[in-house]
Amino acid sequence: MHPLPTYDDVLAAAGRIRGHAHRTPVLRSRTADARWGAQFFFKCENFQRMGAFKFRGAFNALSKFDAAQRKAGVIAFSSGNHAQAVALAAGILGMPAVIVMPNDAPAAKLAATRGYGAEVVQYDRFTEDREALTRRLAQERGMTLIPPYDHPDVIAGQGTAVKELIEETGPLDVLYVCLGGGGLTSGSALSARALSPDCRIYGVEPEAGNDGQRSLREGRIVHIDTPKTIADGAQTQHLGEYTFGIIKRDVNDIVTVSDAQLVEGMRFFAERMKMVVEPTGCLAFAGACAAGDAIRGARVGVLISGGNVDLARFASLLAGQPA
């Protein structure tokens, strides 16, 4: 393992993605502020290219490829957002891409990944090992594997979102970030510790997939079965070596929320802020809302990670129908 990435790596990533990634808006909500007695600052990565923060890390990683790597291309595994991010970044940089995606990935994410020009190889997430499958394909095709979260260049790229957030808002008291494999949480922690050192940082994951919380409690990476949750972007089975190294050092705690709380977050964003946010993208806000009096009077940063959700599923979840 290489050394853990640092905030200097985030700064370098910001230079590489400038002009390619969007500087997404930071939105406010008087309703949220009044309801929870805090000042909320929403970093809206649902307005990022391909609809999620993942483009930042993917473009940063791929932009560092040498000529031989670019010719052979990139391979990745993902439930959807990293897939689209790698596919789009590869297309911009003129290299082939193969993405290993689960059979039950949202149709919109599958279609978008193919639309960006990538070849999609599908698998069963409940019976097959996506990492082993991808490593085998990478070796057979001579492609470079860029994992969805446990890679220094991916982590550094993801950290640019909170860098922008704090540059715009000034110091924060609390920061909530969605947690799957930990790429966004660890990258965000690098930026928050550098720019707002007294900020309390919380990762938020689904109740059904609390491997991160258990890992932090036990001081080791805990592996779990694929969790059943509507937060498809957080159906990871374990944190990474790099991400856990940063999280255990820099993150104050990891909290969990229910699928029902995620639906309430989706409803709030749709009704009050006129935004489509995917279930995973609501993790951070749901975590902040559940904090109650702990955030009263605080300046609260909330990372909205993405907005890629099938509209039919979005409607059915808000209508209270089974996922």
Side-chain angles (χ1 to χ4, degrees):
M1 223 177 88
H2 295 288
L4 294 177
T6 67
Y7 183 61
D8 284 341
D9 295 309
V10 177
L11 290 174
R16 292 187 196 99
I17 71 172
R18 187 174 296 118
H20 298 283
H22 297 323
R23 189 179 180 96
T24 51
V26 176
L27 300 184
R28 304 292 310 279
S29 167
R30 291 173 61 185
T31 301
D33 290 358
R35 187 176 298 177
W36 286 280
Q39 294 181 66
F40 281 93
F41 300 90
F42 298 98
K43 179 62 170 171
C44 297
E45 286 295 289
N46 49 318
F47 296 130
Q48 185 54 261
R49 292 187 73 165
M50 47 69 50
F53 74 95
K54 291 282 191 178
F55 180 74
R56 296 173 181 272
F59 191 88
N60 184 52
L62 269 60
S63 68
K64 295 182 69 176
F65 278 21
D66 61 27
Q69 288 176 305
R70 291 193 182 207
K71 182 176 180 181
V74 62
I75 188 167
F77 52 86
S78 166
S79 65
N81 283 339
H82 182 63
Q84 294 173 80
V86 170
L88 176 57
I92 292 170
L93 294 167
M95 66 178 80
V98 172
I99 312 295
V100 176
M101 299 182 71
N103 291 329
D104 61 348
K109 294 182 178 181
L110 284 165
T113 302
R114 293 189 175 105
Y116 288 132
E119 175 189 346
V120 173
V121 175
Q122 293 185 265
Y123 74 100
D124 185 329
R125 77 161 88 222
F126 297 104
T127 62
E128 295 182 271
D129 183 338
R130 67 178 186 173
E131 296 182 35
L133 172 60
T134 308
R135 284 194 296 269
R136 177 174 58 79
L137 288 172
Q139 187 170 20
E140 289 174 358
R141 303 193 187 195
M143 304 181 104
T144 299
L145 169 61
I146 295 296
Y149 53 86
D150 202 32
H151 190 288
D153 296 331
V154 171
I155 293 168
Q158 316 308 27
T160 60
V162 164
K163 172 183 176 291
E164 293 173 6
L165 170 63
I166 297 175
E167 285 174 346
E168 185 164 334
T169 64
L172 297 168
D173 296 314
V174 195
L175 174 67
Y176 287 89
V177 186
C178 72
L179 177 64
L184 182 61
T185 301
S186 57
S188 297
L190 293 177
S191 293
R193 285 286 167 253
L195 300 176
S196 186
D198 295 329
C199 177
R200 302 191 306 277
I201 304 169
Y202 296 95
V204 188
E205 60 188 353
E207 284 179 347
N210 70 332
D211 59 293
Q213 186 183 65
R214 291 172 57 191
S215 297
L216 196 61
R217 301 282 192 277
E218 298 179 26
R220 64 181 181 88
I221 297 175
V222 172
H223 291 244
I224 62 172
D225 293 333
T226 300
K228 291 182 169 60
T229 170
I230 62 171
D232 63 280
Q235 286 182 298
T236 47
Q237 296 176 282
H238 58 86
L239 298 175
E241 295 289 340
Y242 291 103
T243 61
F244 181 58
I246 296 170
I247 287 169
K248 69 180 180 180
R249 182 191 70 195
D250 291 339
V251 171
N252 292 82
D253 200 4
I254 294 171
V255 299
T256 65
V257 296
S258 68
D259 281 0
Q261 288 171 292
L262 297 182
V263 172
E264 284 307 303
M266 293 170 65
R267 179 172 289 110
F268 180 88
F269 287 132
E271 291 181 346
R272 308 303 308 192
M273 298 182 71
K274 314 309 174 190
M275 296 193 299
V276 173
V277 179
E278 64 186 279
T280 309
C282 295
L283 281 166
F285 184 48
C289 295
D293 288 342
I295 63 167
R296 189 163 296 278
R299 292 167 53 81
V300 182
V302 172
L303 214 304
I304 298 175
S305 61
N308 293 323
V309 58
D310 291 331
L311 290 182
R313 184 166 185 257
F314 181 83
S316 69
L317 286 170
L318 294 189
Q321 298 171 15

